[in-house]
Amino acid sequence: QVQLVESGGGLVQAGGSLRLSCAASGSIFSVNAMGWYRQAPGKQRELVAAISSSGTTNYADSVKGRFTISRDNAKNTVYLEMNSLKPEDTAVYYCNAAVVTIGTKWAVECWGQGTQVTVSS
C-alpha cells in the first residue's frame, strides 16, 4: 500500500538544528496535506506543522519562527527544518500524510513510524 519513511532525527544541543525528512511511497495517486506531529513522554500527540498540496503552511505556536515545513511534490516528500531547538522540543516526531491511492477516490491518513528528536540542555 503506502509507506511513510522518516529520517533525520537524533541528539542535538539546545540552540542547534535538525532537518527531518519523510518520503511517501507505494500505490500513490496523489498526496494531499502532509504534516509533522510529535509526542513527548506522558503527553498527547500534537500537531507541529502542516502543509497543503499547494504549499499553505500551518504551525503550532510553540514552533513558529523556529521550524519550517516544506515539501517536494515530485518526490512525495515533506521536510521539517528545526532551528533554535529547545529541550522542550524533545519528542518522537511522526510524519502524517493524506494519500489518495491508485484506483480510489478518497484520501486515507497515513503515518510514519516516528523518529526520535532529543535536545539536551
Side-chain angles (χ1 to χ4, degrees):
Q1 299 293 342
V2 176
Q3 289 183 324
L4 300 183
V5 179
E6 299 138 338
S7 60
L11 173 64
V12 65
Q13 289 188 333
S17 299
L18 283 174
R19 187 187 195 218
L20 305 183
S21 300
C22 172
S25 62
S27 302
I28 297 172
F29 176 75
S30 65
V31 182
N32 297 342
M34 303 184 81
W36 290 94
Y37 288 71
R38 67 186 181 187
Q39 187 167 18
K43 295 188 177 181
Q44 289 189 330
R45 190 173 297 189
E46 62 175 359
L47 174 68
V48 176
I51 184 168
S52 71
S53 56
S54 61
T56 301
T57 58
N58 180 41
Y59 295 93
D61 288 342
S62 59
V63 306
K64 283 181 180 177
R66 299 189 298 121
F67 291 12
T68 302
I69 189 170
S70 60
R71 64 189 287 172
D72 184 334
N73 290 333
K75 296 180 179 180
N76 291 326
T77 299
V78 63
Y79 306 96
L80 186 67
E81 186 74 35
M82 303 185 293
N83 298 315
S84 302
L85 282 161
K86 304 174 181 180
E88 51 263 45
D89 294 318
T90 295
V92 178
Y93 284 70
Y94 296 92
C95 175
N96 173 274
V99 179
V100 180
T101 55
I102 295 172
T104 67
K105 296 181 179 180
W106 310 108
V108 294
E109 189 175 41
C110 300
W111 291 91
Q113 79 284 0
T115 185
Q116 178 70 46
V117 171
T118 302
V119 184
S120 63
S121 57

